[in-house]
Every structure is written in C-alpha cells, then in structure tokens.
Amino acid sequence: SQQGEEDPQALSIQEGENATMNCSYKTSINNLQWYRQNSGRGLVHLILIRSNEREKHSGRLRVTLDTSKKSSSLLITASRAADTASYFCATDAWNSGNTPLVFGKGTRLSVIA
Amino acid sequence: NAGVTQTPKFRVLKTGQSMTLLCAQDMNHEYMYWYRQDPGMGLRLIHYSVGEGTTAKGEVPDGYNVSRLKKQNFLLGLESAAPSQTSVYFCASRDTGGNYGYTFGSGTRLTVV
C-alpha cells in the first residue's frame, strides 16, 4: 500500500504560474523525496528533505515538510511547458535502516504555453 | 553515460511463457530495486537487493523471482507470465547511506496476452 498520497491527482496551469502539489504520508520517516516522470520515461530524482528539515530549495523548486501533520508540498515557481510531467513523493520508514522507498500515486501536471 | 540500463524496452509474451528482465548499473551502487507501475497505482516494489548475493521481497513479489549474482546486475524473472503482470517495470539503484536519491532506468513495457 502507498505510504504517500499526492494531491491533487491532476493539475493544469498556464506557463509562468506557480504549481503546488501536496503529499501526505502515514508513518514517521527518515526523509521524503520528490521525483519527476516525463511521459514514457523513468523517474528522475528532484529533491530530498530530511525529517529534521522544514524547507529546502533547488532552483525553481521549493519543498516544505511538516512532520507534525505528516505532509509535504512541492512548489514549482514560474512554470514552463517543459515542467509538464507526473510528480511523485516517496518516503522511507523512520529508523528502518535501508528499507526501500514507498511511492505515492503521483500528480499529473500540465503546463499550457 | 553512467546510469541504469534496462533490457528489453518492450516485450509481448503469451500467457504461461517465461522471460527475464535485465537491469545493469555502472555506478557501483549497492542497492537495487524492481518496481512495477500500473495506471492509477503509482509504483509498487516487487523485490530489492542490498548487495551482491542478497535479495528481499517487496510489496508485490508473487509471480516473480530475482537474482543478484553480480553487483552491477539485477535480474527479474517471470516463470509463467499472466495477464495481471502486464505493466511497466522499472529498475532503480542507489548508493549506500540513507540520504541519496534513486537512479531509475527507462523502463520495460511488458504486455502479456
């Protein structure tokens, strides 16, 4: 069963707008990661935020983590048509050593030029 | 280019046939994973390996077997394919330590008729 659940399932915005995707998870975690998947391709790692961090930036990406609410958000600023993809959050269980990541079902983002 | 290579990229099998999917990585990663991706289901873990000669079951292991005889290769076998195994299969790897993202292959699209 999925640990993370993304919201919304699908999002359509105009180029230049900001896109926000949310992820909720169920159990305590070591870290939370976000991945992008272009149609027909493999997933690409975007950013990792540790359980003791609250916010992290990478270029146009901003990730927040609220462990008390067991939720995270991914913000893409000034979106471009090339950002059109599915975005997945993934988590690993707290103090579990090296257990594999559990992925959510993803948010499909469409950026219209 | 360094990364994860999956072969084949596409395959059509008849029910009851067997096949092996090959995953090869040239990054000297210890950990390797097999996921399947189905519409609306996200990624689900089939099997994984934390080092040469080791394998472990994931969320959906039934109907699959794996082997990790060499560190760089992780094989996924279907002994008797079923239509329910129609899916896109992704292999991923990562280095040791808990704070590294996964590197994914480009996937194998398998159809069982």
Side-chain angles (χ1 to χ4, degrees):
Chain A
S1 61
Q2 267 76 19
Q3 159 79 311
E5 292 288 339
E6 291 89 344
D7 172 64
Q9 291 185 348
L11 179 62
S12 183
I13 60 174
Q14 297 288 327
E15 203 167 30
E17 293 181 337
N18 295 341
T20 300
M21 289 158 270
N22 302 298
C23 170
S24 59
Y25 56 92
K26 299 174 183 174
T27 63
S28 297
I29 59 173
N30 281 323
N31 62 68
L32 185 145
Q33 302 181 31
W34 284 91
Y35 288 79
R36 182 187 74 234
Q37 184 182 33
N38 292 93
S39 180
R41 310 292 291 273
L43 281 72
V44 174
H45 179 251
L46 293 176
I47 194 166
L48 178 151
I49 186 165
R50 299 174 186 171
S51 59
N52 62 353
E53 297 176 316
R54 292 297 167 258
E55 187 171 312
K56 203 160 184 181
H57 297 255
S58 176
R60 294 185 294 113
L61 305 180
R62 173 178 169 254
V63 169
T64 61
L65 179 64
D66 187 334
T67 53
S68 67
K69 296 181 179 178
K70 292 186 170 59
S71 67
S72 173
S73 67
L74 171 67
L75 169 68
I76 304 174
T77 60
S79 63
R80 306 165 181 169
D83 294 327
T84 294
S86 291
Y87 292 82
F88 296 86
C89 68
T91 56
D92 64 349
W94 170 253
N95 266 354
S96 62
N98 294 302
T99 56
L101 291 177
V102 178
F103 288 81
K105 296 180 181 180
T107 292
R108 285 193 319 278
L109 173 66
S110 297
V111 181
I112 302 167
Chain B
N1 290 337
V4 177
T5 302
Q6 292 183 234
T7 53
K9 294 191 185 307
F10 303 93
R11 186 73 184 269
V12 178
L13 283 181
K14 294 183 179 179
T15 297
Q17 286 185 321
S18 63
M19 78 163 293
T20 300
L21 283 68
L22 172 63
C23 176
Q25 53 94 3
D26 58 4
M27 298 168 287
N28 203 35
H29 285 174
E30 286 290 339
Y31 303 146
M32 297 186 74
Y33 311 88
W34 277 107
Y35 288 86
R36 60 177 288 175
Q37 185 176 34
D38 302 293
M41 297 294 292
L43 276 79
R44 292 182 293 168
L45 182 68
I46 305 171
H47 286 280
Y48 65 102
S49 168
V50 297
E52 181 178 310
T54 75
T55 63
K57 293 181 180 180
E59 180 187 355
V60 289
D62 294 342
Y64 305 95
N65 57 75
V66 286
S67 65
R68 183 98 182 268
L69 299 179
K70 293 183 179 180
K71 186 177 183 179
Q72 63 267 34
N73 295 337
F74 195 27
L75 278 63
L76 178 70
L78 287 73
E79 290 186 346
S80 180
S84 61
Q85 293 177 305
T86 293
S87 187
V88 182
Y89 292 86
F90 287 100
C91 176
S93 70
R94 77 163 177 85
D95 205 346
T96 54
N99 292 322
Y100 293 96
Y102 287 13
T103 300
F104 278 83
S106 58
T108 294
R109 185 174 295 274
L110 175 65
T111 302
V112 183
V113 298

